Amino acid sequence: MSFTQSLRRSAVDIEARLDFLIGQESGGRVPLRLRGAMRYAVLGGGKRIRPFLVIETAKMFGVPALGSIDAACTLECIHCYSLVHDDLPSMDNDEVRRGRPTLWKAYDEWTAILAGDALLTLAFEILARPETHSDPSVRAELVLLVARASGAAGMVGGQVVDLEADKLGVPAAPSLAHIRDLQAMKTGALIRVACEAGAALGRATTSERDALQRYGDALGFAFQIADDLLDADGDAATVGKAVGKDASAGKATLVSLMGIDAARAKLKEVETEAISSLAPFGSRAATLIDAARFVAQRTS
Ligand code: GRG
């Protein structure tokens, strides 16, 4: 089976589980409008790369997919909430996401804000449940890792730094270090924690965790460079959202700093860095190696 096929197959299982988890949330007392909006946000396509990384990293340590799928789904809930909020008029003001109207366009702003809030909260409800892992110390560690990655020093913090430059004209110092730091928080933290969560579920050793953190860091950076390149020269229909937004907003990205060709070369370098970090795992890491290649070469 090719990598794309296994990603798609895993996405089917993840979507079925997300559907179930949203359906049974809080004993079924969720208002219909909210449940509909949460389902719209989560179940409308998407590559499901973050949950895939949790499942495949955990598999390297002998954890079957059934043992990691709930933790995996929590990262997709958080990712989807971040997209819903990012698309709002007060943030990126986007009308198309995953090839269809964004949640605030399909419903309205207040529903989109609250559906995002509910998805973030649901993620932590799931992480804390015994069904996610039988050992409470593993669950507590997952909560800590995911909270740090998605919160003020992670994804939310990265979004603030990005929007400060965009909305308040805070001059972005467009250096490679600034861009890497910003992206490590905004996009990278969730990708890195996907690998860390898999390692926590699999009770990996410290040196194994270190290697996976290096992989996760490089993968997150590769993911963002690929995203910037898609924005610069991708096709909106294939990408599933508007393109060319970074340049028109004057955003500091690797592409604006270095140009397209140098950004492509950097992407190759970071892809190699990600793959090299997996050396200690030998052939056990074959799927994660493929994931790095996929992320670097993605077209949507
Ligand atoms: C609102 C707190 C808050 C944070 C938003 C992630 C983010 C921070 C904003 C999204 C802006 C953006 C498009 C960033 C580029 C990287 C990215 C997250 C791309 C979309 O992720 P994919 O390609 O999307 O995994 P799918 O649709 O496949 O799930």
Side-chain angles (χ1 to χ4, degrees), residues 179 225 228-230 232 252-260 263-264:
I179 291 169
I225 303 172
D228 295 345
L229 283 163
L230 285 175
T253 68
L254 212 75
V255 173
S256 68
L257 182 73
M258 304 177 141
I260 289 188
R264 277 202 202 293

Side-chain angles (χ1 to χ4, degrees), residues 45-50 76 79 81-83 85-86 91-92 97-98 150 155-156 159 186-187 223-224 227 241 298 300:
K47 295 178 287 300
R48 317 298 186 193
I49 190 79
R50 295 157 192 81
E76 192 63 16
H79 167 59
Y81 121 73
S82 81
L83 297 180
H85 280 191
D86 186 64
M91 295 208 200
D92 234 21
R97 162 79 58 194
R98 292 173 169 170
S150 53
M155 184 180 73
V156 173
Q159 179 78 344
K186 182 179 156 180
T187 322
F223 189 93
Q224 183 65 54
D227 205 74
K241 60 176 183 176
R298 72 199 177 93
S300 70

